[in-house]
Amino acid sequence: MAPLSARSPKLGQALRMAERDGLHDLTLEGTLIHIDRVKAGRSYFSGRHRLPGMNVQVLASPAGRGQGSWLLEPSPPGGAGRDGYGELGREEDRSFSIDRTHRVGGYCEYDAMIATPEDTTRFRDVSSVMGHGYCFTYVHGLTSEEVVTRLGGGLEEFTPMTLEELSGVAYSRHDGKNMLFGVVVVGDWALLVEPLGSLGVTEEIIVPLSAGTRLVSQYYRDIMYMDYFYWIEDGKIRFGYMNQDGYSHWINDGEIQLKFPYPERYSEEMPDELAGTMERIDSVYPEFPYPHEGPAFLLAECLTGITLTPQLLEESIYLCGGLNPG
Protein backbone atom coordinates (compact mmCIF):
# COMPACT_ATOMS: atom_id res chain seq x y z
CA MET A 1 0.00 0.00 0.00
CA ALA A 2 2.89 2.40 0.69
CA PRO A 3 4.07 2.60 -2.97
CA LEU A 4 0.45 3.05 -4.08
CA SER A 5 -0.11 5.84 -1.55
CA ALA A 6 3.07 7.62 -2.64
CA ARG A 7 1.81 7.85 -6.22
CA SER A 8 -1.86 8.62 -5.46
CA PRO A 9 -3.38 12.04 -4.69
CA LYS A 10 -5.94 12.81 -2.02
CA LEU A 11 -9.46 13.70 -3.14
CA GLY A 12 -8.96 17.45 -2.78
CA GLN A 13 -5.82 17.34 -4.92
CA ALA A 14 -7.57 15.29 -7.62
CA LEU A 15 -10.51 17.72 -7.67
CA ARG A 16 -8.19 20.66 -8.15
CA MET A 17 -6.49 18.81 -11.03
CA ALA A 18 -9.88 18.13 -12.58
CA GLU A 19 -10.89 21.77 -12.28
CA ARG A 20 -7.57 22.83 -13.79
CA ASP A 21 -8.20 20.51 -16.76
CA GLY A 22 -11.71 21.92 -17.29
CA LEU A 23 -13.54 18.76 -16.20
CA HIS A 24 -16.94 19.48 -14.65
CA ASP A 25 -18.62 16.05 -14.46
CA LEU A 26 -16.80 13.34 -12.55
CA THR A 27 -17.54 9.84 -11.27
CA LEU A 28 -16.27 8.54 -7.92
CA GLU A 29 -16.05 4.75 -7.62
CA GLY A 30 -14.59 2.71 -4.80
CA THR A 31 -14.08 -0.72 -3.35
CA LEU A 32 -12.77 -2.35 -0.20
CA ILE A 33 -9.56 -4.30 -0.80
CA HIS A 34 -9.15 -7.17 1.64
CA ILE A 35 -5.86 -7.23 3.54
CA ASP A 36 -4.23 -9.98 5.58
CA ARG A 37 -4.00 -7.98 8.80
CA VAL A 38 -6.42 -9.60 11.20
CA LYS A 39 -4.81 -7.89 14.19
CA ALA A 40 -4.20 -4.56 12.47
CA GLY A 41 -6.54 -2.77 14.85
CA ARG A 42 -9.94 -1.09 14.62
CA SER A 43 -8.90 1.49 12.06
CA TYR A 44 -8.38 -1.24 9.42
CA PHE A 45 -11.51 -3.20 10.32
CA SER A 46 -14.69 -2.69 8.28
CA GLY A 47 -17.62 -3.06 10.68
CA ARG A 48 -20.06 -3.44 7.80
CA HIS A 49 -18.10 -6.17 6.00
CA ARG A 50 -16.60 -7.61 9.21
CA LEU A 51 -13.10 -7.98 7.77
CA PRO A 52 -9.87 -5.97 7.59
CA GLY A 53 -9.25 -3.94 4.47
CA MET A 54 -8.32 -0.68 2.78
CA ASN A 55 -10.58 1.62 0.78
CA VAL A 56 -9.43 2.47 -2.73
CA GLN A 57 -11.29 5.13 -4.72
CA VAL A 58 -11.05 6.17 -8.36
CA LEU A 59 -12.11 9.63 -9.53
CA ALA A 60 -12.67 9.71 -13.27
CA SER A 61 -14.05 11.81 -16.11
CA PRO A 62 -16.95 10.37 -18.16
CA ALA A 63 -14.39 8.78 -20.51
CA GLY A 64 -13.13 6.80 -17.55
CA ARG A 65 -9.56 6.34 -18.72
CA GLY A 66 -6.49 8.30 -19.60
CA GLN A 67 -6.56 12.02 -18.91
CA GLY A 68 -8.94 12.92 -16.09
CA SER A 69 -8.63 9.66 -14.14
CA TRP A 70 -7.03 9.46 -10.70
CA LEU A 71 -6.49 6.56 -8.31
CA LEU A 72 -6.88 8.20 -4.90
CA GLU A 73 -4.66 7.58 -1.90
CA PRO A 74 -5.84 4.40 -0.08
CA SER A 75 -7.33 4.85 3.38
CA PRO A 76 -8.66 2.64 6.20
CA PRO A 77 -12.39 1.72 6.11
CA GLY A 78 -14.37 4.86 6.91
CA GLY A 79 -11.22 6.96 6.70
CA ALA A 80 -12.09 8.44 3.34
CA GLY A 81 -15.19 9.96 4.84
CA ARG A 82 -13.14 11.87 7.38
CA ASP A 83 -10.00 12.65 5.39
CA GLY A 84 -11.21 12.71 1.83
CA TYR A 85 -14.88 13.29 1.09
CA GLY A 86 -15.07 15.86 3.84
CA GLU A 87 -12.96 18.12 1.64
CA LEU A 88 -15.96 18.48 -0.67
CA GLY A 89 -17.74 20.49 1.97
CA ARG A 90 -14.82 22.91 2.22
CA GLU A 91 -14.78 23.68 -1.51
CA GLU A 92 -17.10 26.69 -1.50
CA ASP A 93 -16.74 27.69 -5.18
CA ARG A 94 -16.91 24.34 -6.93
CA SER A 95 -17.68 24.47 -10.65
CA PHE A 96 -18.10 20.72 -10.99
CA SER A 97 -20.50 18.01 -9.87
CA ILE A 98 -19.76 14.46 -8.75
CA ASP A 99 -21.80 11.35 -9.34
CA ARG A 100 -20.86 8.35 -7.32
CA THR A 101 -20.78 4.63 -7.94
CA HIS A 102 -20.01 2.43 -4.96
CA ARG A 103 -18.70 -1.04 -5.71
CA VAL A 104 -18.67 -3.79 -3.07
CA GLY A 105 -18.25 -7.51 -3.56
CA GLY A 106 -18.90 -7.52 -7.29
CA TYR A 107 -22.04 -5.38 -7.45
CA CYS A 108 -22.50 -1.67 -7.93
CA GLU A 109 -24.85 0.80 -6.34
CA TYR A 110 -25.35 4.25 -7.82
CA ASP A 111 -25.82 7.31 -5.64
CA ALA A 112 -26.56 10.73 -7.10
CA MET A 113 -24.74 12.56 -4.34
CA ILE A 114 -22.88 12.07 -1.09
CA ALA A 115 -24.33 13.04 2.28
CA THR A 116 -25.55 16.61 2.38
CA PRO A 117 -24.54 18.93 5.23
CA GLU A 118 -28.01 18.79 6.81
CA ASP A 119 -27.75 14.98 6.96
CA THR A 120 -24.66 15.05 9.15
CA THR A 121 -24.33 18.41 10.90
CA ARG A 122 -27.07 17.76 13.45
CA PHE A 123 -25.48 14.45 14.47
CA ARG A 124 -22.11 16.12 14.99
CA ASP A 125 -23.84 18.82 17.04
CA VAL A 126 -25.39 16.22 19.36
CA SER A 127 -22.06 14.42 19.73
CA SER A 128 -20.23 17.67 20.49
CA VAL A 129 -22.70 18.44 23.29
CA MET A 130 -21.93 15.07 24.91
CA GLY A 131 -18.14 15.24 24.75
CA HIS A 132 -15.92 12.14 24.65
CA GLY A 133 -18.67 9.56 24.98
CA TYR A 134 -22.34 8.99 25.61
CA CYS A 135 -25.14 6.48 25.78
CA PHE A 136 -28.77 7.28 24.93
CA THR A 137 -31.43 4.76 25.95
CA TYR A 138 -35.10 5.08 25.00
CA VAL A 139 -37.73 3.07 26.94
CA HIS A 140 -41.31 3.25 25.74
CA GLY A 141 -44.24 3.90 28.04
CA LEU A 142 -42.38 4.37 31.34
CA THR A 143 -42.03 7.41 33.57
CA SER A 144 -38.68 8.56 34.92
CA GLU A 145 -39.55 7.16 38.34
CA GLU A 146 -40.55 3.80 36.88
CA VAL A 147 -37.23 3.54 35.05
CA VAL A 148 -35.27 4.27 38.23
CA THR A 149 -37.31 1.70 40.14
CA ARG A 150 -36.88 -0.98 37.47
CA LEU A 151 -33.12 -0.40 37.57
CA GLY A 152 -33.05 -0.87 41.32
CA GLY A 153 -32.29 2.73 42.21
CA GLY A 154 -33.60 4.57 45.27
CA LEU A 155 -35.75 7.52 44.26
CA GLU A 156 -34.70 9.41 47.38
CA GLU A 157 -31.13 9.44 46.03
CA PHE A 158 -32.07 10.96 42.64
CA THR A 159 -32.18 14.72 42.13
CA PRO A 160 -33.08 17.07 39.23
CA MET A 161 -30.15 18.29 37.11
CA THR A 162 -29.45 19.97 33.82
CA LEU A 163 -27.29 18.23 31.23
CA GLU A 164 -24.38 20.51 32.13
CA GLU A 165 -24.67 19.54 35.80
CA LEU A 166 -25.05 15.85 34.98
CA SER A 167 -22.00 15.91 32.69
CA GLY A 168 -19.94 17.74 35.28
CA VAL A 169 -20.67 15.13 37.92
CA ALA A 170 -20.15 12.27 35.47
CA TYR A 171 -16.72 13.50 34.40
CA SER A 172 -15.59 14.29 37.93
CA ARG A 173 -16.65 10.90 39.33
CA HIS A 174 -16.00 8.62 36.37
CA ASP A 175 -14.37 5.45 37.67
CA GLY A 176 -16.17 2.76 35.67
CA LYS A 177 -18.08 1.61 38.77
CA ASN A 178 -20.84 4.09 39.53
CA MET A 179 -23.29 4.15 36.61
CA LEU A 180 -24.51 7.75 36.65
CA PHE A 181 -27.42 8.68 34.41
CA GLY A 182 -30.24 11.14 33.98
CA VAL A 183 -33.73 10.33 32.75
CA VAL A 184 -36.43 12.57 31.30
CA VAL A 185 -39.77 11.86 29.64
CA VAL A 186 -39.97 12.83 25.96
CA GLY A 187 -43.42 12.17 24.55
CA ASP A 188 -44.25 8.52 25.20
CA TRP A 189 -40.64 7.64 25.96
CA ALA A 190 -38.29 7.78 28.91
CA LEU A 191 -34.90 8.98 27.64
CA LEU A 192 -31.84 7.96 29.67
CA VAL A 193 -28.74 10.06 29.08
CA GLU A 194 -25.31 8.88 30.22
CA PRO A 195 -22.20 11.01 29.73
CA LEU A 196 -19.36 8.44 29.49
CA GLY A 197 -21.73 5.70 30.67
CA SER A 198 -22.53 2.26 29.29
CA LEU A 199 -25.55 1.16 31.32
CA GLY A 200 -27.71 1.32 28.19
CA VAL A 201 -25.64 -1.28 26.35
CA THR A 202 -25.13 -3.68 29.24
CA GLU A 203 -27.36 -6.62 28.29
CA GLU A 204 -27.78 -7.86 31.85
CA ILE A 205 -29.44 -4.50 32.59
CA ILE A 206 -31.32 -3.52 29.45
CA VAL A 207 -32.88 -6.90 28.61
CA PRO A 208 -34.88 -6.96 31.91
CA LEU A 209 -35.53 -3.22 31.59
CA SER A 210 -37.29 -3.88 28.27
CA ALA A 211 -39.89 -6.22 29.85
CA GLY A 212 -43.27 -5.58 28.27
CA THR A 213 -42.04 -2.71 26.14
CA ARG A 214 -39.57 -1.48 23.51
CA LEU A 215 -36.04 -0.36 24.33
CA VAL A 216 -33.58 1.29 21.95
CA SER A 217 -30.06 2.34 22.87
CA GLN A 218 -27.04 3.84 21.15
CA TYR A 219 -23.54 4.13 22.58
CA TYR A 220 -20.37 5.83 21.42
CA ARG A 221 -16.97 6.31 23.02
CA ASP A 222 -14.21 8.12 21.16
CA ILE A 223 -11.64 5.54 22.25
CA MET A 224 -11.07 3.41 19.12
CA TYR A 225 -14.45 4.53 17.70
CA MET A 226 -16.45 2.21 19.95
CA ASP A 227 -20.08 1.94 18.79
CA TYR A 228 -22.99 -0.17 20.03
CA PHE A 229 -26.69 -0.15 19.16
CA TYR A 230 -29.62 -2.19 20.51
CA TRP A 231 -33.28 -2.64 19.66
CA ILE A 232 -34.98 -4.92 22.22
CA GLU A 233 -38.65 -5.88 22.37
CA ASP A 234 -39.90 -7.39 25.64
CA GLY A 235 -36.61 -9.11 26.44
CA LYS A 236 -35.82 -10.19 22.86
CA ILE A 237 -32.98 -8.55 20.94
CA ARG A 238 -34.35 -7.65 17.53
CA PHE A 239 -31.39 -5.76 16.03
CA GLY A 240 -27.96 -4.54 17.03
CA TYR A 241 -24.56 -3.19 16.14
CA MET A 242 -21.61 -4.64 18.02
CA ASN A 243 -18.21 -3.00 18.05
CA GLN A 244 -15.89 -4.97 15.70
CA ASP A 245 -18.73 -7.30 14.58
CA GLY A 246 -20.90 -4.80 12.71
CA TYR A 247 -24.68 -4.93 12.22
CA SER A 248 -26.66 -8.00 13.20
CA HIS A 249 -28.91 -7.60 10.14
CA TRP A 250 -28.82 -5.56 6.95
CA ILE A 251 -30.79 -5.22 3.77
CA ASN A 252 -29.59 -6.73 0.50
CA ASP A 253 -31.60 -6.63 -2.74
CA GLY A 254 -34.65 -5.49 -0.80
CA GLU A 255 -34.49 -8.29 1.77
CA ILE A 256 -33.22 -8.04 5.35
CA GLN A 257 -30.75 -10.78 6.22
CA LEU A 258 -29.11 -11.94 9.45
CA LYS A 259 -25.39 -11.15 9.37
CA PHE A 260 -24.22 -12.39 12.77
CA PRO A 261 -22.97 -15.98 13.15
CA TYR A 262 -24.80 -16.45 16.47
CA PRO A 263 -28.55 -16.18 15.70
CA GLU A 264 -29.58 -17.71 19.04
CA ARG A 265 -29.10 -14.29 20.67
CA TYR A 266 -31.65 -12.66 18.41
CA SER A 267 -35.38 -12.87 17.86
CA GLU A 268 -36.41 -15.05 14.95
CA GLU A 269 -38.50 -12.16 13.66
CA MET A 270 -36.64 -10.03 11.12
CA PRO A 271 -36.40 -6.28 11.89
CA ASP A 272 -38.49 -5.36 8.83
CA GLU A 273 -39.49 -2.07 10.44
CA LEU A 274 -35.97 -0.83 9.68
CA ALA A 275 -35.96 -1.74 5.97
CA GLY A 276 -36.67 1.76 4.69
CA THR A 277 -34.14 3.33 7.07
CA MET A 278 -31.47 0.81 6.04
CA GLU A 279 -32.02 1.72 2.39
CA ARG A 280 -31.85 5.40 3.27
CA ILE A 281 -28.57 4.86 5.13
CA ASP A 282 -27.11 2.97 2.17
CA SER A 283 -28.13 5.85 -0.08
CA VAL A 284 -26.93 8.73 2.09
CA TYR A 285 -23.85 6.97 3.46
CA PRO A 286 -22.51 4.67 0.72
CA GLU A 287 -19.16 4.40 2.51
CA PHE A 288 -20.74 2.76 5.60
CA PRO A 289 -19.53 5.12 8.34
CA TYR A 290 -19.46 4.29 12.03
CA PRO A 291 -22.99 4.37 13.55
CA HIS A 292 -22.28 7.48 15.65
CA GLU A 293 -21.57 9.43 12.47
CA GLY A 294 -25.25 9.28 11.51
CA PRO A 295 -26.75 5.78 11.05
CA ALA A 296 -27.41 5.17 14.77
CA PHE A 297 -29.40 8.40 15.02
CA LEU A 298 -31.46 7.53 11.94
CA LEU A 299 -32.18 4.02 13.27
CA ALA A 300 -33.19 5.40 16.67
CA GLU A 301 -35.45 8.00 15.05
CA CYS A 302 -37.18 5.28 13.03
CA LEU A 303 -37.82 3.13 16.09
CA THR A 304 -38.80 5.88 18.54
CA GLY A 305 -39.97 8.88 16.52
CA ILE A 306 -37.62 11.07 18.59
CA THR A 307 -35.16 13.40 16.87
CA LEU A 308 -32.31 14.19 19.24
CA THR A 309 -31.11 17.78 19.08
CA PRO A 310 -28.71 19.80 21.22
CA GLN A 311 -31.69 21.94 22.30
CA LEU A 312 -33.66 18.93 23.54
CA LEU A 313 -30.67 17.64 25.50
CA GLU A 314 -29.55 20.98 26.93
CA GLU A 315 -33.00 22.34 27.83
CA SER A 316 -34.33 19.22 29.59
CA ILE A 317 -34.27 18.69 33.33
CA TYR A 318 -33.25 15.15 34.23
CA LEU A 319 -33.90 12.99 37.27
CA CYS A 320 -30.30 12.04 38.04
CA GLY A 321 -28.53 9.50 40.20
CA GLY A 322 -26.29 6.47 40.06
CA LEU A 323 -26.31 2.71 40.23
CA ASN A 324 -23.53 0.68 41.68
CA PRO A 325 -23.66 -2.81 40.17
CA GLY A 326 -21.07 -4.01 42.65
Side-chain angles (χ1 to χ4, degrees):
M1 286 296 177
L4 188 59
S5 295
R7 299 180 59 182
S8 305
K10 290 183 179 291
L11 178 59
Q13 295 171 311
L15 291 176
R16 285 188 285 273
M17 292 183 216
E19 192 169 22
R20 178 198 62 196
D21 294 342
L23 299 173
H24 302 291
D25 296 297
L26 303 170
T27 296
L28 184 63
E29 179 177 307
T31 188
L32 183 74
I33 296 178
H34 301 183
I35 61 175
D36 187 20
R37 298 187 64 178
V38 178
K39 295 184 179 179
R42 182 66 179 94
S43 62
Y44 291 94
F45 189 89
S46 170
R48 176 67 186 277
H49 301 289
R50 308 211 319 269
L51 50 82
M54 291 288 286
N55 278 333
V56 174
Q57 307 287 331
V58 175
L59 185 70
S61 65
R65 292 189 179 186
Q67 183 180 12
S69 180
W70 297 273
L71 179 65
L72 304 181
E73 181 179 10
S75 65
R82 289 184 291 275
D83 303 328
Y85 308 137
E87 298 181 18
L88 290 172
R90 296 193 292 271
E91 299 281 350
E92 296 182 357
D93 299 318
R94 299 197 304 274
S95 58
F96 49 80
S97 63
I98 292 182
D99 287 343
R100 187 173 192 173
T101 302
H102 181 229
R103 186 177 185 86
V104 177
Y107 67 92
C108 292
E109 295 178 354
Y110 172 79
D111 293 284
M113 62 188 298
I114 64 173
T116 59
E118 54 267 28
D119 287 323
T120 58
T121 299
R122 62 192 179 104
F123 305 137
R124 291 198 301 269
D125 290 344
V126 170
S127 296
S128 66
V129 166
M130 297 304 300
H132 296 292
Y134 56 79
C135 185
F136 301 125
T137 305
Y138 313 76
V139 188
H140 186 257
L142 298 186
T143 66
S144 298
E145 292 77 11
E146 287 172 333
V147 168
V148 172
T149 301
R150 280 200 183 195
L151 291 173
L155 287 173
E156 68 281 358
E157 299 176 358
F158 280 67
T159 58
M161 293 186 189
T162 64
L163 178 64
E164 182 178 5
E165 293 168 334
L166 172 62
S167 296
V169 175
Y171 274 82
S172 65
R173 297 182 183 177
H174 181 64
D175 57 7
K177 298 178 181 179
N178 191 290
M179 295 184 175
L180 183 70
F181 68 92
V183 57
V184 63
V185 171
V186 180
D188 294 330
W189 295 80
L191 171 64
L192 285 77
V193 175
E194 300 176 76
L196 298 179
S198 59
L199 182 154
V201 289
T202 303
E203 291 188 15
E204 294 81 0
I205 293 175
I206 58 176
V207 169
L209 180 58
S210 72
T213 190
R214 170 176 292 188
L215 181 147
V216 177
S217 63
Q218 59 183 104
Y219 167 91
Y220 169 64
R221 189 70 189 273
D222 62 359
I223 300 174
M224 297 294 288
Y225 290 94
M226 291 181 63
D227 277 283
Y228 288 89
F229 187 94
Y230 281 90
W231 167 19
I232 306 176
E233 292 274 354
D234 192 16
K236 290 286 187 178
I237 302 176
R238 293 285 307 280
F239 173 83
Y241 179 96
M242 303 293 126
N243 191 48
Q244 296 287 354
D245 287 330
Y247 292 102
S248 61
H249 305 72
W250 206 255
I251 195 164
N252 185 23
D253 294 330
E255 182 179 351
I256 294 181
Q257 301 174 355
L258 180 67
K259 299 295 184 180
F260 276 6
Y262 26 86
E264 66 278 359
R265 293 184 59 224
Y266 288 81
S267 167
E268 295 180 0
E269 186 178 359
M270 287 290 150
D272 294 330
E273 188 174 337
L274 293 175
T277 302
M278 290 177 180
E279 291 179 337
R280 179 185 175 193
I281 290 170
D282 278 347
S283 175
V284 176
Y285 301 101
E287 283 304 307
F288 312 127
Y290 294 100
H292 73 272
E293 294 175 328
F297 291 93
L298 294 177
L299 293 166
E301 285 179 10
C302 173
L303 294 169
T304 67
I306 296 175
T307 299
L308 278 186
T309 64
Q311 291 75 22
L312 188 156
L313 293 171
E314 292 178 321
E315 295 175 5
S316 295
I317 301 297
Y318 304 86
L319 185 61
C320 300
L323 301 178
N324 191 335

